[in-house]
């Protein structure tokens, strides 16, 4: 479980609790973009929890946030094609806030060390083994590296 230290309270909390506190703070500070972004994350969480009748943990929430970022990046492309710069900016602001709730991303060199270790462990030698390497790499770097980055690095190293 990923935990967050909150200085002003002095406790360790999970991602859901952090979102709840940050939402209240954003509302008090009248930070509309932050408030709306956190509400969007909470809506995604609630949707899954209600539909599947499960309680989501931090790892699942991180995956949801990553998919939310991906959707907004796709929207940005469409808005750019339609010359809607106002909407592009709004989506980018939401992406920036979403990223605040993701764990620290691995640098390219850190990611390369991990992937090389996995390739060595699995004995992968060709592109046929890419699926095996990708599966392990995504488990080990959960939330800390984008799948596209991992994929291109695996292709490069195999």
């Amino acid at each position: 479980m990923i935990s967050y230290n909150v200085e002003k309270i002095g406790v360790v909390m999970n991602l859901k609790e952090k979102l709840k506190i940050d939402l209240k703070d954003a509302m008090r500070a009248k930070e509309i973009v932050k408030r709306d972004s956190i509400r969007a994350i909470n809506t995604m969480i609630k949707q899954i929890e209600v539909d599947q009748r499960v309680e989501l943990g931090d790892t699942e929430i991180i995956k949801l946030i990553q998919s939310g970022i991906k959707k907004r990046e796709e929207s940005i492309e469409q808005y750019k094609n339609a010359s809607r710069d106002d909407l592009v900016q709004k989506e980018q602001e939401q992406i920036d806030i979403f990223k605040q709730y993701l764990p620290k991303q691995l640098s390219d060199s850190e990611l390369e060390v991990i992937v090389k270790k996995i390739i060595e462990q699995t004995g992968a030698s060709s592109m046929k083994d890419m699926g095996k390497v990708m599966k392990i790499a995504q488990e080990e770097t959960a939330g800390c590296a984008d799948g596209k980055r991992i994929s291109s690095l695996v292709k490069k190293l195999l």
Side-chain angles (χ1 to χ4, degrees):
M1 181 172 95
I2 299 164
S3 58
Y4 297 87
N5 287 319
V6 179
E7 296 80 25
K8 65 182 176 185
I9 303 175
V11 296
V12 175
M13 64 178 63
N14 67 22
L15 191 49
K16 241 190 227 180
E17 293 166 343
K18 176 143 179 52
L19 285 165
K20 187 176 180 180
I21 289 172
D22 287 353
L23 177 61
K24 287 179 186 176
D25 291 345
M27 290 169 74
R28 284 189 193 110
K30 297 189 181 357
E31 297 175 20
I32 294 166
V33 176
K34 187 170 186 175
R35 178 199 68 194
D36 292 347
S37 299
I38 295 172
R39 282 183 175 166
I41 294 170
N42 286 334
T43 301
M44 291 187 296
I45 294 169
K46 284 268 189 275
Q47 182 72 44
I48 298 293
E49 287 183 340
V50 168
D51 289 350
Q52 298 177 5
R53 297 181 183 168
V54 293
E55 187 75 23
L56 294 182
D58 286 352
T59 359
E60 292 91 1
I61 293 172
I62 288 170
K63 287 179 185 172
L64 273 178
I65 293 172
Q66 287 174 325
S67 81
I69 290 172
K70 206 176 280 186
K71 285 179 186 172
R72 279 157 184 77
E73 287 171 344
E74 291 168 2
S75 296
I76 285 175
E77 288 303 313
Q78 292 176 356
Y79 293 146
K80 280 181 180 177
N81 292 338
S83 300
R84 293 293 310 265
D85 295 333
D86 55 326
L87 296 175
V88 169
Q89 181 182 352
K90 181 182 176 197
E91 294 292 326
Q92 188 57 54
E93 289 171 349
Q94 278 200 334
I95 288 173
D96 295 341
I97 291 170
F98 277 33
K99 286 183 177 179
Q100 294 174 9
Y101 296 99
L102 294 177
K104 181 184 167 289
Q105 297 295 297
L106 293 171
S107 70
D108 290 338
S109 58
E110 292 170 325
L111 184 58
E112 189 170 343
V113 168
I114 292 171
V115 172
K116 281 181 179 177
K117 185 182 81 175
I118 294 169
I119 289 173
E120 189 179 301
Q121 287 174 347
T122 58
S125 58
S126 69
M127 288 301 289
K128 291 182 205 171
D129 303 318
M130 184 172 173
K132 185 171 32 172
V133 174
M134 282 294 296
K135 182 180 179 199
I136 297 170
Q138 286 181 325
E139 289 171 3
E140 283 193 28
T141 62
C144 298
D146 183 51
K148 288 180 188 174
R149 283 181 56 209
I150 298 170
S151 174
S152 65
L153 187 60
V154 170
K155 285 177 186 172
K156 186 178 105 178
L157 295 174
L158 288 179

